[in-house]
Amino acid sequence: MSIKYTIKSFFIFFIISIYPVFLFSQEVPHAVNNIGVYEFLDELANSQIITINSVVKPFSRSFIANCLKEAEEKRDQLNLRQQKELEFYMMDFGKELENGTTVQRYNGTTVKWFG
């Protein structure tokens, strides 16, 4: 009886272990005490360049990256300071974007940020 039980247990374990399981990691929140990026996102939201819910904080890094990408698409609505600040934050949060994004710098050069 114990050999049958051992063989059944082995096959059950083997079937479960080869069953394809897709696991996704949790999103990494960005610390609220790093207020620079949060103030910048609030400024963009107040200018109606992006849409965010400022009550729900901390934002995940991928959410911040997508907000910055959305702001990048409306770059013509930003002043020079905002464009420089956007470029600064894209250097950090651009890594979170899956397919990368093309960013045009304020001095005219174009850079591709990869995730």
Side-chain angles (χ1 to χ4, degrees):
M1 178 97 175
S2 67
I3 293 178
K4 284 184 176 181
Y5 179 74
T6 306
I7 293 173
K8 285 182 182 180
S9 299
F10 174 76
F11 282 121
I12 290 173
F13 176 75
F14 181 74
I15 299 280
I16 290 173
S17 65
I18 64 169
Y19 184 76
V21 177
F22 299 101
L23 301 175
F24 299 99
S25 63
Q26 293 179 332
E27 293 186 352
V28 179
H30 190 69
V32 180
N33 60 359
N34 186 351
I35 60 173
V37 70
Y38 286 105
E39 287 179 350
F40 183 61
L41 291 176
D42 287 338
E43 179 184 350
L44 294 177
N46 289 335
S47 301
Q48 297 181 346
I49 294 171
I50 63 172
T51 304
I52 60 171
N53 184 357
S54 296
V55 177
V56 183
K57 289 182 183 174
F59 298 139
S60 68
R61 289 186 58 85
S62 62
F63 178 78
I64 293 173
N66 287 324
C67 288
L68 294 173
K69 182 178 179 182
E70 184 180 343
E72 179 64 37
E73 293 168 359
K74 299 177 183 178
R75 188 178 188 87
D76 57 334
Q77 298 177 19
L78 303 175
N79 61 34
L80 184 60
R81 181 198 54 84
Q82 290 172 330
Q83 291 176 8
K84 289 179 182 180
E85 201 166 344
L86 176 64
E87 179 183 337
F88 174 78
Y89 287 123
M90 282 300 289
M91 283 192 282
D92 183 21
F93 292 98
K95 298 176 271 190
E96 305 298 323
L97 300 172
E98 290 182 17
N99 298 326
T101 184
T102 302
V103 177
Q104 185 168 3
R105 293 182 172 179
Y106 63 92
N107 62 3
T109 60
T110 303
V111 178
K112 178 87 172 181
W113 301 107
F114 292 98

Coordinates of all heavy atoms in Angstrom, one line a residue, residues 26-67:
Q26 N 4.6 42.1 -7.5 CA 3.8 43.2 -7.1 C 4.5 44.5 -7.7 O 5.7 44.5 -8.0 CB 3.7 43.3 -5.6 CG 2.9 42.3 -5.0 CD 2.9 42.4 -3.5 OE1 3.9 43.0 -2.9 NE2 1.9 42.0 -2.9
E27 N 3.7 45.5 -7.8 CA 4.3 46.8 -8.3 C 5.0 47.4 -7.1 O 4.6 47.3 -6.0 CB 3.2 47.7 -8.8 CG 2.5 47.2 -10.1 CD 1.6 48.2 -10.7 OE1 1.3 49.2 -10.0 OE2 1.1 47.9 -11.8
V28 N 6.1 48.1 -7.5 CA 6.9 48.7 -6.5 C 6.4 50.1 -6.2 O 6.4 50.9 -7.1 CB 8.4 48.7 -6.9 CG1 9.3 49.4 -5.9 CG2 8.9 47.3 -7.2
P29 N 6.0 50.5 -5.0 CA 5.6 51.8 -4.8 C 6.8 52.8 -4.6 O 7.9 52.3 -4.2 CB 4.8 51.7 -3.4 CG 5.4 50.6 -2.8 CD 5.8 49.6 -3.9
H30 N 6.6 54.0 -5.0 CA 7.6 55.0 -4.9 C 7.4 55.8 -3.6 O 6.3 56.2 -3.4 CB 7.7 55.9 -6.1 CG 8.8 56.8 -6.1 ND1 10.1 56.3 -6.4 CD2 9.0 58.1 -6.0 CE1 11.0 57.3 -6.3 NE2 10.3 58.4 -6.1
A31 N 8.4 55.9 -2.8 CA 8.3 56.6 -1.5 C 7.6 58.0 -1.5 O 8.0 58.8 -2.4 CB 9.6 56.6 -0.8
V32 N 6.7 58.2 -0.7 CA 6.0 59.5 -0.6 C 6.9 60.6 -0.1 O 6.7 61.8 -0.5 CB 4.7 59.4 0.2 CG1 4.0 60.7 0.3 CG2 3.8 58.3 -0.3
N33 N 7.9 60.3 0.7 CA 8.8 61.3 1.2 C 9.7 61.9 0.1 O 10.4 62.9 0.3 CB 9.6 60.8 2.4 CG 10.5 59.6 2.1 OD1 10.5 59.1 0.9 ND2 11.2 59.1 3.0
N34 N 9.8 61.2 -1.1 CA 10.5 61.8 -2.2 C 9.5 62.7 -2.9 O 8.9 62.3 -3.9 CB 11.0 60.7 -3.1 CG 11.9 61.2 -4.2 OD1 11.9 62.4 -4.5 ND2 12.5 60.3 -5.0
I35 N 9.3 63.9 -2.4 CA 8.2 64.7 -2.9 C 8.3 65.4 -4.2 O 7.4 65.8 -4.8 CB 7.8 65.8 -1.8 CG1 9.0 66.7 -1.6 CG2 7.4 65.2 -0.5 CD1 8.8 67.9 -0.7
G36 N 9.6 65.4 -4.8 CA 9.8 66.1 -6.0 C 8.9 65.6 -7.2 O 8.3 66.3 -7.9
V37 N 8.9 64.3 -7.4 CA 8.2 63.7 -8.5 C 6.7 63.8 -8.2 O 5.9 64.1 -9.2 CB 8.6 62.2 -8.8 CG1 8.1 61.3 -7.7 CG2 8.0 61.8 -10.1
Y38 N 6.2 63.7 -7.0 CA 4.8 63.9 -6.7 C 4.3 65.3 -6.9 O 3.3 65.5 -7.4 CB 4.5 63.4 -5.2 CG 4.6 61.9 -5.0 CD1 5.7 61.3 -4.4 CD2 3.5 61.1 -5.5 CE1 5.7 59.9 -4.2 CE2 3.6 59.8 -5.3 CZ 4.7 59.2 -4.7 OH 4.7 57.8 -4.6
E39 N 5.2 66.3 -6.5 CA 4.8 67.7 -6.8 C 4.8 67.9 -8.3 O 3.9 68.7 -8.8 CB 5.8 68.6 -6.1 CG 5.7 68.7 -4.6 CD 6.7 69.6 -3.9 OE1 7.6 70.0 -4.6 OE2 6.5 69.8 -2.8
F40 N 5.7 67.3 -9.0 CA 5.7 67.5 -10.5 C 4.4 66.9 -11.1 O 3.8 67.5 -12.0 CB 7.0 66.9 -11.1 CG 7.1 67.1 -12.6 CD1 7.2 68.4 -13.1 CD2 7.1 66.0 -13.4 CE1 7.3 68.5 -14.5 CE2 7.3 66.2 -14.8 CZ 7.3 67.4 -15.3
L41 N 4.1 65.7 -10.7 CA 2.8 65.1 -11.2 C 1.6 65.9 -10.8 O 0.7 66.0 -11.7 CB 2.7 63.6 -10.7 CG 3.7 62.6 -11.2 CD1 3.5 61.3 -10.5 CD2 3.6 62.5 -12.7
D42 N 1.6 66.4 -9.6 CA 0.4 67.3 -9.2 C 0.4 68.6 -10.1 O -0.7 69.0 -10.5 CB 0.5 67.7 -7.7 CG 0.2 66.5 -6.8 OD1 -0.5 65.6 -7.3 OD2 0.6 66.5 -5.6
E43 N 1.6 69.1 -10.4 CA 1.6 70.3 -11.2 C 1.1 70.0 -12.6 O 0.3 70.8 -13.2 CB 3.1 70.8 -11.3 CG 3.2 72.0 -12.2 CD 4.7 72.4 -12.3 OE1 5.6 71.9 -11.6 OE2 5.0 73.3 -13.2
L44 N 1.5 68.8 -13.2 CA 1.0 68.4 -14.5 C -0.5 68.2 -14.5 O -1.2 68.5 -15.4 CB 1.7 67.2 -15.0 CG 3.2 67.4 -15.3 CD1 3.8 66.0 -15.7 CD2 3.5 68.4 -16.3
A45 N -1.0 67.6 -13.4 CA -2.4 67.3 -13.3 C -3.2 68.6 -13.1 O -4.3 68.8 -13.7 CB -2.7 66.4 -12.1
N46 N -2.7 69.6 -12.4 CA -3.3 70.9 -12.2 C -3.4 71.7 -13.6 O -4.3 72.4 -13.8 CB -2.7 71.8 -11.2 CG -2.9 71.2 -9.8 OD1 -3.9 70.6 -9.6 ND2 -2.0 71.5 -8.9
S47 N -2.4 71.4 -14.4 CA -2.3 72.0 -15.7 C -3.2 71.2 -16.8 O -3.2 71.6 -17.9 CB -0.9 72.1 -16.2 OG -0.1 72.9 -15.4
Q48 N -3.8 70.2 -16.3 CA -4.6 69.3 -17.1 C -3.8 68.6 -18.3 O -4.4 68.4 -19.3 CB -5.9 70.0 -17.6 CG -6.7 70.4 -16.5 CD -8.0 71.1 -17.0 OE1 -8.1 71.5 -18.1 NE2 -8.9 71.3 -16.1
I49 N -2.6 68.4 -18.0 CA -1.7 67.7 -19.0 C -1.9 66.2 -18.8 O -1.9 65.4 -19.8 CB -0.3 68.1 -18.9 CG1 -0.2 69.6 -19.3 CG2 0.6 67.3 -19.7 CD1 1.1 70.3 -19.0
I50 N -2.0 65.7 -17.5 CA -2.3 64.3 -17.2 C -3.4 64.3 -16.2 O -3.8 65.3 -15.7 CB -1.0 63.7 -16.6 CG1 -0.7 64.3 -15.2 CG2 0.1 63.6 -17.5 CD1 0.4 63.6 -14.5
T51 N -4.0 63.1 -16.1 CA -5.1 62.9 -15.1 C -4.7 61.9 -14.1 O -4.3 60.8 -14.4 CB -6.3 62.4 -15.9 OG1 -6.7 63.3 -16.9 CG2 -7.5 62.3 -14.9
I52 N -4.7 62.3 -12.8 CA -4.3 61.4 -11.7 C -5.3 61.7 -10.5 O -5.9 62.7 -10.5 CB -2.9 61.6 -11.2 CG1 -2.6 63.0 -10.7 CG2 -1.9 61.2 -12.3 CD1 -1.3 63.2 -10.0
N53 N -5.3 60.7 -9.7 CA -6.1 60.8 -8.4 C -5.0 61.0 -7.3 O -4.4 60.1 -6.9 CB -6.9 59.6 -8.1 CG -7.8 59.7 -6.9 OD1 -7.7 60.8 -6.2 ND2 -8.6 58.7 -6.6
S54 N -4.8 62.3 -6.9 CA -3.8 62.6 -5.9 C -4.0 62.1 -4.6 O -3.1 62.0 -3.7 CB -3.6 64.1 -5.9 OG -3.2 64.6 -7.1
V55 N -5.2 61.6 -4.3 CA -5.5 61.1 -2.9 C -4.9 59.7 -2.7 O -4.5 59.4 -1.6 CB -7.1 61.0 -2.7 CG1 -7.4 60.4 -1.4 CG2 -7.7 62.4 -2.9
V56 N -4.8 58.9 -3.8 CA -4.3 57.6 -3.6 C -2.8 57.6 -3.8 O -2.3 57.5 -4.9 CB -5.0 56.7 -4.7 CG1 -4.5 55.2 -4.5 CG2 -6.5 56.8 -4.6
K57 N -2.1 57.7 -2.7 CA -0.6 57.6 -2.8 C -0.1 56.6 -1.8 O -0.8 56.3 -0.8 CB 0.0 59.0 -2.4 CG -0.3 60.0 -3.5 CD 0.3 61.4 -3.1 CE 0.0 62.4 -4.2 NZ 0.5 63.7 -3.8
P58 N 1.0 56.0 -2.0 CA 2.0 56.2 -3.0 C 1.6 55.6 -4.3 O 0.9 54.6 -4.4 CB 3.2 55.5 -2.4 CG 2.7 54.4 -1.6 CD 1.4 54.9 -1.0
F59 N 2.1 56.2 -5.4 CA 2.0 55.7 -6.7 C 3.0 54.6 -7.0 O 4.1 54.7 -6.4 CB 2.1 56.8 -7.8 CG 1.1 57.9 -7.7 CD1 1.5 59.2 -7.9 CD2 -0.2 57.6 -7.4 CE1 0.5 60.2 -7.8 CE2 -1.2 58.6 -7.3 CZ -0.8 59.9 -7.5
S60 N 2.7 53.7 -7.8 CA 3.7 52.7 -8.2 C 4.7 53.3 -9.2 O 4.3 54.3 -9.9 CB 3.1 51.4 -8.8 OG 2.5 51.7 -10.1
R61 N 5.8 52.7 -9.3 CA 6.8 53.3 -10.3 C 6.3 53.2 -11.7 O 6.5 54.1 -12.5 CB 8.1 52.5 -10.1 CG 8.9 52.9 -8.8 CD 10.2 52.3 -8.8 NE 11.1 52.6 -9.9 CZ 11.8 53.7 -10.0 NH1 11.8 54.6 -9.0 NH2 12.6 54.0 -11.0
S62 N 5.6 52.1 -12.0 CA 5.1 52.0 -13.4 C 4.0 53.0 -13.7 O 3.9 53.5 -14.8 CB 4.5 50.5 -13.6 OG 3.5 50.2 -12.8
F63 N 3.1 53.3 -12.7 CA 2.1 54.3 -12.8 C 2.8 55.7 -13.1 O 2.3 56.5 -14.0 CB 1.2 54.4 -11.6 CG 0.2 55.5 -11.7 CD1 -1.0 55.3 -12.5 CD2 0.3 56.7 -11.0 CE1 -1.9 56.3 -12.6 CE2 -0.6 57.7 -11.1 CZ -1.8 57.5 -11.9
I64 N 3.8 56.0 -12.3 CA 4.5 57.3 -12.5 C 5.1 57.3 -13.9 O 5.1 58.3 -14.6 CB 5.6 57.5 -11.4 CG1 4.9 57.7 -10.0 CG2 6.5 58.7 -11.7 CD1 5.9 57.7 -8.9
A65 N 5.7 56.2 -14.3 CA 6.3 56.2 -15.7 C 5.3 56.4 -16.7 O 5.6 57.1 -17.7 CB 7.0 54.8 -15.9
N66 N 4.1 55.8 -16.6 CA 3.1 56.0 -17.6 C 2.6 57.4 -17.6 O 2.2 58.0 -18.7 CB 1.9 55.0 -17.4 CG 2.3 53.6 -17.8 OD1 3.0 53.4 -18.7 ND2 1.9 52.6 -17.0
C67 N 2.5 58.1 -16.4 CA 2.1 59.5 -16.4 C 3.1 60.4 -17.0 O 2.8 61.3 -17.8 CB 1.9 59.9 -14.9 SG 0.4 59.2 -14.1

